[in-house]
């Protein structure tokens, strides 16, 4: 199969045989897996997360070979909470995005999110926006301004999420509900609304959980450990 150049980011890399690496790549053509030979040389120094790359791949099967790998821009230097956020995005993509399922718009959104993370902005809005975009691209999205019956969300209403269906109005208070005002703020990306960001985090966790299965996200656990105060 003829190699063709395309932009890419490394989501994950691990040693393979004596001097090669197995890499998970995000490209406009989707998540691709490839063998990078000579990973201890120059190519190996480039094959790390958050670096914009240009890659040429060969092979017809699911596991391809890297024919060429070059830097295609300035690396996104992430540190602290931004670094763990980037690792979280990568893990989401590896866990949820099928191999060889093209999502060019998601690739562009990922690239812009990394650029934003590199300048240390408020993290939560960026993470919620990416989670929402990922769900929508995979066909799991739902309306935030209408319930699952098509009726408008009311600011004073209470709602619960029915995964893969949408928001269902409820009349009695119970755990895990969402206030209509917070949902409407999310729909407008109005993070100045009190409680909207916290509600968005809960909503995205509920929406992602059925697709992640029972395995916890390693990056989430690492991030929680980062935030815990040091103990004597």
């Amino acid at each position: 199969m003829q190699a063709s150049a395309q932009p890419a980011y490394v989501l994950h890399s691990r040693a393979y045989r004596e001097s090669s690496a197995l890499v998970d790549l995000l490209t406009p053509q989707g998540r691709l897996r490839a063998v990078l030979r000579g990973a201890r040389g120059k190519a190996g120094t480039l094959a790390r997360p958050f670096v914009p790359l240009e890659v040429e791949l060969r092979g017809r099967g699911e596991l391809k070979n890297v024919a060429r790998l070059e830097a295609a821009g300035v690396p996104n230097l992430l540190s602290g909470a931004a670094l763990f956020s980037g690792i979280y995005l990568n893990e989401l993509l590896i866990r949820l995005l099928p191999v060889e399922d093209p999502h060019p718009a998601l690739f562009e959104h990922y690239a812009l999110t990394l650029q934003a993370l590199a300048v240390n902005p408020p993290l939560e809005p960026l993470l919620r926006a990416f989670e929402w975009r990922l769900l929508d691209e995979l066909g799991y999205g739902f309306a935030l301004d209408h319930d699952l019956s098509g009726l408008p969300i009311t600011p004073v209403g209470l709602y619960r999420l029915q995964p893969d269906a949408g928001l269902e109005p409820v009349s009695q208070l119970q755990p895990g509900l969402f206030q209509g005002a917070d949902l409407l703020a999310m729909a407008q990306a109005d993070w100045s609304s009190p409680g909207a960001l916290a509600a968005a985090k809960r909503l995205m966790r509920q929406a992602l959980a059925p697709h992640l299965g029972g395995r916890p996200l390693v990056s989430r656990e690492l991030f929680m450990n980062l935030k815990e105060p040091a103990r004597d």
Side-chain angles (χ1 to χ4, degrees):
M1 182 178 179
Q2 178 110 18
S4 58
Q6 60 181 318
Y9 287 90
V10 170
L11 298 176
H12 185 259
S13 176
R14 62 188 183 277
Y16 178 65
R17 294 181 177 172
E18 291 186 2
S19 61
S20 299
L22 287 175
V23 292
D24 279 277
L25 299 165
L26 180 66
T27 77
Q29 296 305 308
R31 183 169 65 87
L32 305 177
R33 287 178 173 165
V35 175
L36 176 64
R37 304 190 187 282
R40 295 179 183 175
K42 178 183 176 182
T45 64
L46 292 175
R48 51 193 176 89
F50 319 129
V51 178
L53 301 169
E54 183 176 89
V55 64
E56 291 183 8
L57 302 175
R58 287 198 178 98
R60 295 184 180 275
E62 184 174 299
L63 184 60
K64 306 186 185 306
N65 291 298
V66 177
R68 183 174 66 87
L69 185 69
E70 294 183 2
V74 178
N76 297 286
L77 301 178
L78 308 185
S79 61
L83 173 60
F84 283 92
S85 297
I87 294 171
Y88 169 69
L89 299 187
N90 286 2
E91 188 176 9
L92 277 183
L93 289 167
I94 291 172
R95 291 277 295 273
L96 297 181
L97 193 61
V99 174
E100 296 187 347
D101 187 12
H103 289 281
L106 180 63
F107 176 85
E108 184 65 24
H109 188 81
Y110 174 83
L112 292 174
T113 302
L114 290 186
Q115 292 173 23
L117 287 173
V119 296
N120 295 313
L123 299 178
E124 296 291 333
L126 286 175
L127 297 180
R128 303 295 82 83
F130 187 84
E131 291 165 338
W132 179 256
R133 184 60 173 268
L134 178 59
L135 285 168
D136 196 48
E137 286 277 336
L138 294 176
Y140 304 139
F142 50 90
L144 291 169
D145 54 359
H146 287 77
D147 66 22
L148 52 77
S149 299
L151 297 175
I153 297 291
T154 62
V156 296
L158 292 173
Y159 300 85
R160 66 183 170 198
L161 177 65
Q162 296 290 355
D164 298 337
L167 294 160
E168 179 182 34
V170 296
S171 57
Q172 294 183 341
L173 193 62
Q174 54 189 273
L177 297 184
F178 300 92
Q179 295 183 355
D182 290 336
L183 295 169
L184 292 172
M186 290 180 218
Q188 298 297 321
D190 179 12
W191 305 120
S192 64
S193 176
L197 268 178
K201 186 172 185 176
R202 285 196 299 113
L203 182 66
M204 289 298 97
R205 283 202 175 193
Q206 290 185 23
L208 288 166
H211 312 296
L212 290 170
R215 285 191 300 132
L217 287 164
V218 175
S219 53
R220 187 177 286 165
E221 294 181 351
L222 291 173
F223 191 64
M224 291 302 296
N225 291 336
L226 176 71
K227 294 196 295 184
E228 287 182 358
R231 297 177 181 175
D232 294 333

